[in-house]
Amino acid sequence: GPPQPAVADAPQPQGFGARVGDLVEGFRLVWRNRFLRFYLLFSTFSVMMGNPIVFSALPHYLSDILKLSAIAQSSAFSLYLAAASLGVGIASLAMMFIKTTKSAPAFAPGELSTLEKQGRWSSILHGVGWLLHLGVFFAPSLPVSIAFMAAAMLFSGFAVNIWSSLVQKVVADEAPQDMGKVYAALLFYQLACSIAGSLLFGWIITSVPTLLALKITCGVIVFMAGLDI
């Protein structure tokens, strides 16, 4: 009879060990690149310390400073989240109209590359965003505090969008065949830091007196801003 067409073997699903190996390879690729290594290390503090501490301290501010009831606090949290989303949304929309410069090679011996320069000034924006978080806890009223939250996330949103764009450029240039491994490593690391930070620092902030909680929060905010600026 006529020859039968060759049937390609279906790809076999990867086992757990192979997936772990891909994750380890992703971390190796991240650590080999100076820009990605810088991004990973500095995002550690923001993901693990900054965000969990800020949102864990809000109940202290709402209940003991503004003297809001439990029901009012729940509504206030919704407003804070809406304000944060609004700030990030405006920043993302504005970024659509900002023309970014073409990237130079990620490695520039002896000087900052174009990517690193863009990351530097966007890091300053992120630092300003952190400083605006101080207004969230020192505001005399809830509307003013919520406005500070929106402003803080606006500046932070600009920085996050810029950094995300820069990371995409670097990954596409340096590891085009292993983009999935790199992104998996970055997401896994940030998720692990977020969970650890929420469990550790969130528990600390919610279990200490209000004055100490706000002092710790303000100290962390200033520390985070200093790292960025």
Side-chain angles (χ1 to χ4, degrees):
Q4 299 296 319
V7 179
D9 294 334
Q12 297 298 317
Q14 285 186 324
F16 178 77
R19 294 184 183 277
V20 172
D22 288 344
L23 188 62
V24 172
E25 176 66 12
F27 278 111
R28 188 185 68 82
L29 293 170
V30 169
W31 197 254
R32 192 175 63 186
N33 184 285
R34 185 175 68 179
F35 183 86
L36 294 178
R37 185 168 65 245
F38 176 85
Y39 168 78
L40 190 69
L41 291 176
F42 272 79
S43 66
T44 300
F45 297 100
S46 178
V47 173
M48 188 172 186
M49 292 176 56
N51 295 330
I53 287 179
V54 167
F55 281 96
S56 297
L58 278 176
H60 283 289
Y61 170 74
L62 295 175
S63 61
D64 297 333
I65 303 300
L66 295 184
K67 307 295 184 182
L68 297 182
S69 65
I71 297 178
Q73 290 180 45
S74 299
S75 300
F77 259 100
S78 299
L79 293 174
Y80 277 116
L81 293 176
S85 299
L86 177 64
V88 173
I90 293 175
S92 300
L93 183 63
M95 286 299 299
M96 295 174 60
F97 300 96
I98 297 177
K99 182 178 181 180
T100 57
T101 58
K102 293 184 64 176
S103 62
F107 296 97
E111 63 179 9
L112 293 177
S113 68
T114 300
L115 283 174
E116 290 167 328
K117 290 176 182 177
Q118 291 179 0
R120 184 71 190 98
W121 72 261
S122 62
S123 181
I124 294 176
L125 287 179
H126 201 248
V128 173
W130 276 115
L131 290 177
L132 287 171
H133 275 94
L134 291 175
V136 173
F137 296 99
F138 285 98
S141 65
L142 181 61
V144 177
S145 178
I146 292 173
F148 269 105
M149 176 64 79
M153 296 309 297
L154 174 65
F155 279 85
S156 298
F158 275 117
V160 169
N161 276 281
I162 293 171
W163 274 84
S164 296
S165 176
L166 297 180
V167 168
Q168 290 176 8
K169 290 179 181 178
V170 171
V171 174
D173 291 341
E174 299 294 326
Q177 304 301 321
D178 297 305
M179 295 176 64
K181 297 178 182 179
V182 173
Y183 285 124
L186 292 174
L187 292 175
F188 179 85
Y189 179 81
Q190 292 179 342
L191 179 61
C193 288
S194 178
I195 294 174
S198 297
L199 293 175
L200 176 61
F201 296 107
W203 174 79
I204 292 175
I205 292 298
T206 55
S207 61
V208 300
T210 296
L211 182 59
L212 179 58
L214 294 181
K215 286 182 178 179
I216 294 174
T217 302
C218 292
V220 169
I221 289 174
V222 173
F223 172 73
M224 297 300 303
L227 283 180
D228 286 332
I229 296 177

